[in-house]
Amino acid sequence: MLKILRQPGSLFRGRSAFFQNTLKLFIGSGIAQAISVLLSPILTRLFDPNDFGLYTFYIYIVAGLVLIASLRYELAIVYSDNDRDAVNVLSLSTIISLALSFLVLILVILYRLFLYHLLPVSPILLSWFFWMPALIICLSVTNILQNWLVRKKEFRTLSAGKVVNSIGNNGFMLLLGVLGWGAWGLFTGYFAGTVIFLLFLLFMVFRSNRGLLRMTDRQTLRLMTVKYKDLPLSNSPQALFEMLQNYGIIYLAKIFFSSTIVGFYALSMRILQAPLWLIGSAFFQVYMQDASDRYNRNESLVPLVNKTMKMAFLAVTPVLITLFIFGPWLFGVVFGHNWREAGVYARILAPWMFFDFVRFTVSQTPMIVGKARTMFHISLIGNALMIAAMCIGGWMHQVITGFVILSCLMSLYAISVILWIRYIAAHVKKGPAPDNKQP
């Protein structure tokens, strides 16, 4: 895979560094998503909507915890002034993630002993809960190592890692689905793919940075904890509320409706968000590194913000228009008649995904320019809109109505955030703000 990414020939020559780095990640992300999308029609015939619903509900709980597992210190790996500081932030992030995973294990045990009879869940979910700490630490460390690779501009390695992860996840799910493992096949496949991805990143990072851990020392570790304290104080709460915004729909759909509805919603979002992970993650990672460098060099972010959003707009438009027009028919043909309802959800949610995709690519701008607290307050509005839409749908016992309201409100929210990001990029003072400890 790395060899392939080194041989794009004239494709890279004469292009800007931003374009080259984005293209490197795009290639890997494209292959990874192609594997996932191409295997989806098979997986939807091996697993039913209820299996997908249980699996999605669990994975979204884990993903929410992973988002704050290191208290967002992993983001400072990219922004640190030098490699010694970055290595100590890497170690700090890992230590915090281990501590949170241990805390989750204690909470799971306490839930099983004292709360299970009051708030019961399905036996499958209960079994998966005991695996949650191990999955959290695996996913957290992969996030931490990916930020180190972004810092070192190892975009080829990141791209190859995405392919390894996709092959591992989907390959094991396919095998276990054929063997008739049911929902356990989805869970075990995801876990196995994550472990393979982690081992790949560990090998690649330490192969080229053999003296990495020797750069860690307690004094620098303490200094980094204080220097980037705004991340746990401001960005972690923001990330928590953004997690509720992104994953809260799954939680509320499970409460108000059923695992089957969650399964339909999960498949619709998997297809809608394929462009987000295919192109958006590449834009996001390259933009974060490039914008941070420009800001620290006292250069304007406006050209980069405009270029990134324009590229995102042009890239995602054909996909989402196609899903908006032909969604139900396509889902019925490709994934089977039982999944046609997911196509209806995809059609309704397509406008929201369109605007949210553009927002996502430049979403690190507020943190880079010292507006993290403001973004946190804005995200509260998004959470309130999401909860309101789903509660209305649940109160009316109308899934479609809830999703229509959700799509309309969240589209308006995403547009407002995009306009605000363009505004702060144009009006922020150049260079790090004196009262902001993070770059």
PDB file of all heavy atoms in Angstrom, residues 99-121:
ATOM      1  N   ALA A  99      -6.245   5.424  32.290  1.00  0.00           N
ATOM      2  CA  ALA A  99      -6.975   5.691  33.530  1.00  0.00           C
ATOM      3  C   ALA A  99      -8.478   5.686  33.284  1.00  0.00           C
ATOM      4  O   ALA A  99      -9.246   5.119  34.078  1.00  0.00           O
ATOM      5  CB  ALA A  99      -6.528   7.030  34.113  1.00  0.00           C
ATOM      6  N   LEU A 100      -8.921   6.319  32.189  1.00  0.00           N
ATOM      7  CA  LEU A 100     -10.355   6.346  31.897  1.00  0.00           C
ATOM      8  C   LEU A 100     -10.878   4.945  31.608  1.00  0.00           C
ATOM      9  O   LEU A 100     -11.985   4.582  32.022  1.00  0.00           O
ATOM     10  CB  LEU A 100     -10.645   7.274  30.723  1.00  0.00           C
ATOM     11  CG  LEU A 100     -12.143   7.385  30.385  1.00  0.00           C
ATOM     12  CD1 LEU A 100     -12.573   8.838  30.234  1.00  0.00           C
ATOM     13  CD2 LEU A 100     -12.479   6.613  29.117  1.00  0.00           C
ATOM     14  N   SER A 101     -10.090   4.137  30.894  1.00  0.00           N
ATOM     15  CA  SER A 101     -10.517   2.772  30.590  1.00  0.00           C
ATOM     16  C   SER A 101     -10.707   1.963  31.865  1.00  0.00           C
ATOM     17  O   SER A 101     -11.662   1.190  31.991  1.00  0.00           O
ATOM     18  CB  SER A 101      -9.482   2.095  29.681  1.00  0.00           C
ATOM     19  OG  SER A 101      -9.376   2.778  28.449  1.00  0.00           O
ATOM     20  N   PHE A 102      -9.799   2.142  32.816  1.00  0.00           N
ATOM     21  CA  PHE A 102      -9.926   1.450  34.098  1.00  0.00           C
ATOM     22  C   PHE A 102     -11.173   1.922  34.846  1.00  0.00           C
ATOM     23  O   PHE A 102     -11.893   1.112  35.454  1.00  0.00           O
ATOM     24  CB  PHE A 102      -8.679   1.695  34.943  1.00  0.00           C
ATOM     25  CG  PHE A 102      -8.691   0.987  36.263  1.00  0.00           C
ATOM     26  CD1 PHE A 102      -8.567  -0.403  36.339  1.00  0.00           C
ATOM     27  CD2 PHE A 102      -8.834   1.694  37.452  1.00  0.00           C
ATOM     28  CE1 PHE A 102      -8.588  -1.064  37.567  1.00  0.00           C
ATOM     29  CE2 PHE A 102      -8.852   1.049  38.674  1.00  0.00           C
ATOM     30  CZ  PHE A 102      -8.725  -0.334  38.729  1.00  0.00           C
ATOM     31  N   LEU A 103     -11.451   3.227  34.788  1.00  0.00           N
ATOM     32  CA  LEU A 103     -12.655   3.765  35.426  1.00  0.00           C
ATOM     33  C   LEU A 103     -13.914   3.173  34.804  1.00  0.00           C
ATOM     34  O   LEU A 103     -14.874   2.832  35.517  1.00  0.00           O
ATOM     35  CB  LEU A 103     -12.667   5.292  35.295  1.00  0.00           C
ATOM     36  CG  LEU A 103     -13.911   6.018  35.818  1.00  0.00           C
ATOM     37  CD1 LEU A 103     -14.090   5.770  37.311  1.00  0.00           C
ATOM     38  CD2 LEU A 103     -13.816   7.513  35.533  1.00  0.00           C
ATOM     39  N   VAL A 104     -13.921   3.036  33.476  1.00  0.00           N
ATOM     40  CA  VAL A 104     -15.068   2.438  32.793  1.00  0.00           C
ATOM     41  C   VAL A 104     -15.280   1.001  33.244  1.00  0.00           C
ATOM     42  O   VAL A 104     -16.421   0.563  33.456  1.00  0.00           O
ATOM     43  CB  VAL A 104     -14.876   2.501  31.259  1.00  0.00           C
ATOM     44  CG1 VAL A 104     -15.923   1.645  30.544  1.00  0.00           C
ATOM     45  CG2 VAL A 104     -14.961   3.940  30.774  1.00  0.00           C
ATOM     46  N   LEU A 105     -14.203   0.252  33.422  1.00  0.00           N
ATOM     47  CA  LEU A 105     -14.319  -1.128  33.894  1.00  0.00           C
ATOM     48  C   LEU A 105     -14.979  -1.180  35.268  1.00  0.00           C
ATOM     49  O   LEU A 105     -15.862  -2.013  35.517  1.00  0.00           O
ATOM     50  CB  LEU A 105     -12.932  -1.773  33.957  1.00  0.00           C
ATOM     51  CG  LEU A 105     -12.891  -3.203  34.515  1.00  0.00           C
ATOM     52  CD1 LEU A 105     -13.744  -4.143  33.670  1.00  0.00           C
ATOM     53  CD2 LEU A 105     -11.450  -3.699  34.618  1.00  0.00           C
ATOM     54  N   ILE A 106     -14.582  -0.274  36.160  1.00  0.00           N
ATOM     55  CA  ILE A 106     -15.183  -0.222  37.502  1.00  0.00           C
ATOM     56  C   ILE A 106     -16.674   0.095  37.406  1.00  0.00           C
ATOM     57  O   ILE A 106     -17.514  -0.522  38.078  1.00  0.00           O
ATOM     58  CB  ILE A 106     -14.462   0.825  38.368  1.00  0.00           C
ATOM     59  CG1 ILE A 106     -13.020   0.377  38.648  1.00  0.00           C
ATOM     60  CG2 ILE A 106     -15.205   1.040  39.689  1.00  0.00           C
ATOM     61  CD1 ILE A 106     -12.199   1.412  39.392  1.00  0.00           C
ATOM     62  N   LEU A 107     -17.025   1.055  36.546  1.00  0.00           N
ATOM     63  CA  LEU A 107     -18.432   1.437  36.385  1.00  0.00           C
ATOM     64  C   LEU A 107     -19.266   0.292  35.815  1.00  0.00           C
ATOM     65  O   LEU A 107     -20.422   0.087  36.218  1.00  0.00           O
ATOM     66  CB  LEU A 107     -18.522   2.665  35.481  1.00  0.00           C
ATOM     67  CG  LEU A 107     -17.951   3.968  36.050  1.00  0.00           C
ATOM     68  CD1 LEU A 107     -18.014   5.084  35.016  1.00  0.00           C
ATOM     69  CD2 LEU A 107     -18.709   4.378  37.313  1.00  0.00           C
ATOM     70  N   VAL A 108     -18.697  -0.451  34.876  1.00  0.00           N
ATOM     71  CA  VAL A 108     -19.417  -1.594  34.307  1.00  0.00           C
ATOM     72  C   VAL A 108     -19.680  -2.648  35.376  1.00  0.00           C
ATOM     73  O   VAL A 108     -20.789  -3.198  35.467  1.00  0.00           O
ATOM     74  CB  VAL A 108     -18.616  -2.197  33.131  1.00  0.00           C
ATOM     75  CG1 VAL A 108     -19.222  -3.541  32.706  1.00  0.00           C
ATOM     76  CG2 VAL A 108     -18.604  -1.238  31.950  1.00  0.00           C
ATOM     77  N   ILE A 109     -18.691  -2.918  36.203  1.00  0.00           N
ATOM     78  CA  ILE A 109     -18.858  -3.900  37.282  1.00  0.00           C
ATOM     79  C   ILE A 109     -19.929  -3.438  38.273  1.00  0.00           C
ATOM     80  O   ILE A 109     -20.795  -4.221  38.699  1.00  0.00           O
ATOM     81  CB  ILE A 109     -17.512  -4.132  38.003  1.00  0.00           C
ATOM     82  CG1 ILE A 109     -16.521  -4.816  37.059  1.00  0.00           C
ATOM     83  CG2 ILE A 109     -17.717  -4.980  39.259  1.00  0.00           C
ATOM     84  CD1 ILE A 109     -15.124  -4.932  37.628  1.00  0.00           C
ATOM     85  N   LEU A 110     -19.893  -2.156  38.640  1.00  0.00           N
ATOM     86  CA  LEU A 110     -20.889  -1.617  39.562  1.00  0.00           C
ATOM     87  C   LEU A 110     -22.290  -1.670  38.958  1.00  0.00           C
ATOM     88  O   LEU A 110     -23.275  -1.969  39.659  1.00  0.00           O
ATOM     89  CB  LEU A 110     -20.531  -0.176  39.931  1.00  0.00           C
ATOM     90  CG  LEU A 110     -19.272   0.010  40.789  1.00  0.00           C
ATOM     91  CD1 LEU A 110     -18.978   1.497  40.986  1.00  0.00           C
ATOM     92  CD2 LEU A 110     -19.439  -0.681  42.147  1.00  0.00           C
ATOM     93  N   TYR A 111     -22.387  -1.381  37.654  1.00  0.00           N
ATOM     94  CA  TYR A 111     -23.686  -1.460  36.978  1.00  0.00           C
ATOM     95  C   TYR A 111     -24.232  -2.885  37.036  1.00  0.00           C
ATOM     96  O   TYR A 111     -25.416  -3.105  37.349  1.00  0.00           O
ATOM     97  CB  TYR A 111     -23.547  -1.014  35.523  1.00  0.00           C
ATOM     98  CG  TYR A 111     -24.730  -1.365  34.667  1.00  0.00           C
ATOM     99  CD1 TYR A 111     -25.916  -0.636  34.744  1.00  0.00           C
ATOM    100  CD2 TYR A 111     -24.689  -2.455  33.795  1.00  0.00           C
ATOM    101  CE1 TYR A 111     -27.032  -0.983  33.972  1.00  0.00           C
ATOM    102  CE2 TYR A 111     -25.779  -2.801  33.020  1.00  0.00           C
ATOM    103  CZ  TYR A 111     -26.947  -2.061  33.111  1.00  0.00           C
ATOM    104  OH  TYR A 111     -28.037  -2.406  32.359  1.00  0.00           O
ATOM    105  N   ARG A 112     -23.373  -3.848  36.750  1.00  0.00           N
ATOM    106  CA  ARG A 112     -23.825  -5.244  36.752  1.00  0.00           C
ATOM    107  C   ARG A 112     -24.267  -5.690  38.146  1.00  0.00           C
ATOM    108  O   ARG A 112     -25.252  -6.433  38.301  1.00  0.00           O
ATOM    109  CB  ARG A 112     -22.698  -6.162  36.244  1.00  0.00           C
ATOM    110  CG  ARG A 112     -23.078  -7.651  36.234  1.00  0.00           C
ATOM    111  CD  ARG A 112     -24.216  -7.886  35.273  1.00  0.00           C
ATOM    112  NE  ARG A 112     -24.676  -9.271  35.303  1.00  0.00           N
ATOM    113  CZ  ARG A 112     -25.629  -9.751  36.094  1.00  0.00           C
ATOM    114  NH1 ARG A 112     -26.232  -8.942  36.965  1.00  0.00           N
ATOM    115  NH2 ARG A 112     -25.991 -11.011  36.023  1.00  0.00           N
ATOM    116  N   LEU A 113     -23.575  -5.215  39.171  1.00  0.00           N
ATOM    117  CA  LEU A 113     -23.872  -5.654  40.535  1.00  0.00           C
ATOM    118  C   LEU A 113     -25.091  -4.966  41.133  1.00  0.00           C
ATOM    119  O   LEU A 113     -25.878  -5.598  41.855  1.00  0.00           O
ATOM    120  CB  LEU A 113     -22.657  -5.417  41.435  1.00  0.00           C
ATOM    121  CG  LEU A 113     -21.413  -6.277  41.151  1.00  0.00           C
ATOM    122  CD1 LEU A 113     -20.267  -5.835  42.049  1.00  0.00           C
ATOM    123  CD2 LEU A 113     -21.728  -7.754  41.367  1.00  0.00           C
ATOM    124  N   PHE A 114     -25.277  -3.679  40.838  1.00  0.00           N
ATOM    125  CA  PHE A 114     -26.277  -2.900  41.578  1.00  0.00           C
ATOM    126  C   PHE A 114     -27.393  -2.273  40.731  1.00  0.00           C
ATOM    127  O   PHE A 114     -28.457  -1.969  41.254  1.00  0.00           O
ATOM    128  CB  PHE A 114     -25.584  -1.774  42.358  1.00  0.00           C
ATOM    129  CG  PHE A 114     -24.534  -2.262  43.315  1.00  0.00           C
ATOM    130  CD1 PHE A 114     -23.187  -2.047  43.055  1.00  0.00           C
ATOM    131  CD2 PHE A 114     -24.870  -2.961  44.461  1.00  0.00           C
ATOM    132  CE1 PHE A 114     -22.206  -2.495  43.925  1.00  0.00           C
ATOM    133  CE2 PHE A 114     -23.909  -3.418  45.345  1.00  0.00           C
ATOM    134  CZ  PHE A 114     -22.560  -3.193  45.074  1.00  0.00           C
ATOM    135  N   LEU A 115     -27.169  -2.050  39.426  1.00  0.00           N
ATOM    136  CA  LEU A 115     -28.143  -1.308  38.626  1.00  0.00           C
ATOM    137  C   LEU A 115     -28.793  -2.119  37.519  1.00  0.00           C
ATOM    138  O   LEU A 115     -29.764  -1.660  36.923  1.00  0.00           O
ATOM    139  CB  LEU A 115     -27.466  -0.065  38.007  1.00  0.00           C
ATOM    140  CG  LEU A 115     -26.971   0.996  38.989  1.00  0.00           C
ATOM    141  CD1 LEU A 115     -26.251   2.109  38.236  1.00  0.00           C
ATOM    142  CD2 LEU A 115     -28.132   1.573  39.796  1.00  0.00           C
ATOM    143  N   TYR A 116     -28.266  -3.284  37.228  1.00  0.00           N
ATOM    144  CA  TYR A 116     -28.766  -4.041  36.075  1.00  0.00           C
ATOM    145  C   TYR A 116     -30.251  -4.388  36.215  1.00  0.00           C
ATOM    146  O   TYR A 116     -30.992  -4.360  35.225  1.00  0.00           O
ATOM    147  CB  TYR A 116     -27.942  -5.318  35.905  1.00  0.00           C
ATOM    148  CG  TYR A 116     -28.396  -6.187  34.764  1.00  0.00           C
ATOM    149  CD1 TYR A 116     -28.300  -5.744  33.446  1.00  0.00           C
ATOM    150  CD2 TYR A 116     -28.938  -7.460  34.992  1.00  0.00           C
ATOM    151  CE1 TYR A 116     -28.711  -6.536  32.390  1.00  0.00           C
ATOM    152  CE2 TYR A 116     -29.361  -8.263  33.943  1.00  0.00           C
ATOM    153  CZ  TYR A 116     -29.237  -7.787  32.654  1.00  0.00           C
ATOM    154  OH  TYR A 116     -29.648  -8.579  31.606  1.00  0.00           O
ATOM    155  N   HIS A 117     -30.687  -4.700  37.424  1.00  0.00           N
ATOM    156  CA  HIS A 117     -32.092  -5.061  37.613  1.00  0.00           C
ATOM    157  C   HIS A 117     -33.018  -3.851  37.490  1.00  0.00           C
ATOM    158  O   HIS A 117     -34.217  -4.007  37.238  1.00  0.00           O
ATOM    159  CB  HIS A 117     -32.292  -5.732  38.978  1.00  0.00           C
ATOM    160  CG  HIS A 117     -32.020  -4.836  40.145  1.00  0.00           C
ATOM    161  ND1 HIS A 117     -30.748  -4.441  40.513  1.00  0.00           N
ATOM    162  CD2 HIS A 117     -32.879  -4.249  41.044  1.00  0.00           C
ATOM    163  CE1 HIS A 117     -30.832  -3.650  41.575  1.00  0.00           C
ATOM    164  NE2 HIS A 117     -32.101  -3.526  41.908  1.00  0.00           N
ATOM    165  N   LEU A 118     -32.474  -2.639  37.683  1.00  0.00           N
ATOM    166  CA  LEU A 118     -33.272  -1.417  37.534  1.00  0.00           C
ATOM    167  C   LEU A 118     -33.267  -0.899  36.103  1.00  0.00           C
ATOM    168  O   LEU A 118     -34.273  -0.392  35.602  1.00  0.00           O
ATOM    169  CB  LEU A 118     -32.733  -0.329  38.480  1.00  0.00           C
ATOM    170  CG  LEU A 118     -32.824  -0.617  39.984  1.00  0.00           C
ATOM    171  CD1 LEU A 118     -32.145   0.501  40.768  1.00  0.00           C
ATOM    172  CD2 LEU A 118     -34.283  -0.774  40.408  1.00  0.00           C
ATOM    173  N   LEU A 119     -32.102  -1.004  35.430  1.00  0.00           N
ATOM    174  CA  LEU A 119     -31.954  -0.524  34.056  1.00  0.00           C
ATOM    175  C   LEU A 119     -31.403  -1.659  33.200  1.00  0.00           C
ATOM    176  O   LEU A 119     -30.234  -1.631  32.789  1.00  0.00           O
ATOM    177  CB  LEU A 119     -31.018   0.688  34.008  1.00  0.00           C
ATOM    178  CG  LEU A 119     -31.448   1.919  34.803  1.00  0.00           C
ATOM    179  CD1 LEU A 119     -30.317   2.931  34.885  1.00  0.00           C
ATOM    180  CD2 LEU A 119     -32.695   2.554  34.177  1.00  0.00           C
ATOM    181  N   PRO A 120     -32.196  -2.660  32.916  1.00  0.00           N
ATOM    182  CA  PRO A 120     -31.686  -3.835  32.196  1.00  0.00           C
ATOM    183  C   PRO A 120     -31.412  -3.526  30.722  1.00  0.00           C
ATOM    184  O   PRO A 120     -32.055  -2.665  30.118  1.00  0.00           O
ATOM    185  CB  PRO A 120     -32.806  -4.856  32.350  1.00  0.00           C
ATOM    186  CG  PRO A 120     -34.047  -4.023  32.505  1.00  0.00           C
ATOM    187  CD  PRO A 120     -33.617  -2.790  33.252  1.00  0.00           C
ATOM    188  N   VAL A 121     -30.455  -4.225  30.164  1.00  0.00           N
ATOM    189  CA  VAL A 121     -30.178  -4.181  28.729  1.00  0.00           C
ATOM    190  C   VAL A 121     -30.166  -5.615  28.223  1.00  0.00           C
ATOM    191  O   VAL A 121     -30.230  -6.569  29.007  1.00  0.00           O
ATOM    192  CB  VAL A 121     -28.820  -3.505  28.436  1.00  0.00           C
ATOM    193  CG1 VAL A 121     -28.821  -2.054  28.879  1.00  0.00           C
ATOM    194  CG2 VAL A 121     -27.673  -4.263  29.107  1.00  0.00           C
TER     195      VAL A 121
END
